[in-house]
Amino acid sequence: MTPYLAEFVGTALIVLLGNGVVANVLLSKTHGNGSGLIVITVGWAMAVFVGVFVAASSSGAHLNPAVTLALAVAGKFAWGSVPAYIVSQMLGGMAGAFLVWLVYRNHFAETSDGNLKLAAFCTAPAIRNKFGNIVSEVVGTFVLVYCVLNIASPKMGLGALDALPVALLVMSIGVSLGGTTGYAINPARDLGPRLMHALLPIPGKRDSDWGYALVPVVGSICGGVLAALVYGLQMAH
C-alpha cells in the first residue's frame, strides 16, 4: 500500500472495530448489550493493534493526526507529508464509522436513547466542563504520544506482535484515564465519525454535539505536541 492508503485503511479499521465494540455494548438487542467498560477498552485496544499491524510497514501507522503532528514537531516526520496523512486519517475515520452504521443499522433503529446512538460514533464527557475535559484529553494524548516516542522496537522482532505495546498502552489509558471524556486521544477517531453521525440517516438521532466537538481535537493535538516537546528536551539531555 502507499503510505496514504495505509493511513486510510488502518484508521478505518481502528474506528470500525473500536466504535463497533461501543455499538455492541450500548445499542439495544445486540449480543453484547450491557457488557460494560472493560469490554469496550479491550475492544479499542485490539482495534488499535489491528490498525497498527496492517499499516505499520507502509506508513509507520500514525493513524492519528495528533501522532502525525507530534512526530513532525519531534523531527521524525516530514512536514510536507503532514496534510495528506491527516486527510487520509480523517477519511479513514469516516469510512470506519460508516461501516459501523451499516453493520448495526437495525440496532440503531431499535435504540431509543439518542445519546447512546451518538456514543457509537464519538466521545462525550461524563461531566461537561470544557476546561477539565480538554485537560483530560491533553493528559491522555500526552501519555499516548510520549510513550509511543519512547517505545523501542525489540532486537528480536515479533512481526505483527510489535504492535502489541501500543495496544496495551491504549488499554491502560482507557481503563485509567477514560472515565472523564471517553479518551478520544485522536481527532480522526472523534471528528470523522461525528461528521458521519450528522450525515447518516439514523432514526431518532440527537444532534451531533458540535458544541463539544473541538474539545477532543484541541486536547489531543495539544497533548501530542506537548509530548513531542518534552521528548525533544529529553533527547537533548
Side-chain angles (χ1 to χ4, degrees):
M1 291 188 284
T2 67
Y4 308 123
L5 179 60
E7 287 295 300
F8 172 84
V9 171
T11 309
L13 285 169
I14 286 179
V15 172
L16 170 60
L17 298 176
N19 279 356
V21 72
V22 177
N24 191 20
V25 170
L26 296 184
L27 298 181
S28 297
K29 299 184 179 180
T30 67
H31 288 309
N33 180 259
S35 50
L37 175 66
I38 299 302
V39 170
I40 290 176
T41 53
V42 170
W44 264 106
M46 292 302 98
V48 170
F49 175 78
V50 170
V52 169
F53 83 64
V54 167
S57 62
S58 299
S59 70
H62 299 187
L63 313 180
N64 181 340
V67 171
T68 298
L69 287 168
L71 289 173
V73 169
K76 292 179 171 289
F77 187 67
W79 279 103
S81 297
V82 167
Y85 261 56
I86 291 177
V87 169
S88 299
Q89 293 156 0
M90 290 297 299
L91 292 175
M94 294 175 72
F98 172 80
L99 291 173
V100 172
W101 169 78
L102 190 65
V103 170
Y104 283 99
R105 62 193 184 283
N106 293 330
H107 299 276
F108 279 107
E110 291 287 338
T111 303
S112 59
D113 189 336
N115 290 322
L116 297 181
K117 297 179 186 185
L118 179 62
F121 286 87
C122 54
T123 62
I127 297 175
R128 193 169 291 261
N129 177 293
K130 285 189 177 178
F131 177 76
N133 301 151
I134 288 176
V135 168
S136 293
E137 289 293 329
V138 168
V139 172
T141 313
F142 178 91
V143 172
L144 172 70
V145 174
Y146 180 74
C147 292
V148 164
L149 287 169
N150 279 282
I151 288 173
S153 297
K155 292 181 179 179
M156 296 298 291
L158 298 174
L161 290 180
D162 281 344
L164 189 58
V166 179
L168 294 174
L169 171 60
V170 170
M171 185 186 298
S172 178
I173 293 169
V175 295
S176 299
L177 303 174
T180 55
T181 60
Y183 70 116
I185 60 176
N186 182 344
R189 167 268 178 275
D190 196 90
L191 183 57
R194 195 182 298 269
L195 286 166
M196 293 309 295
H197 176 269
L199 295 172
L200 287 169
I202 304 166
K205 69 179 178 181
R206 56 158 290 178
D207 67 275
S208 300
D209 198 9
W210 291 112
Y212 182 76
L214 282 179
V215 169
V217 175
V218 172
S220 59
I221 289 174
C222 289
V225 170
L226 182 61
L229 295 174
V230 171
Y231 177 77
L233 290 173
Q234 168 188 313
M235 297 306 292
H237 292 83

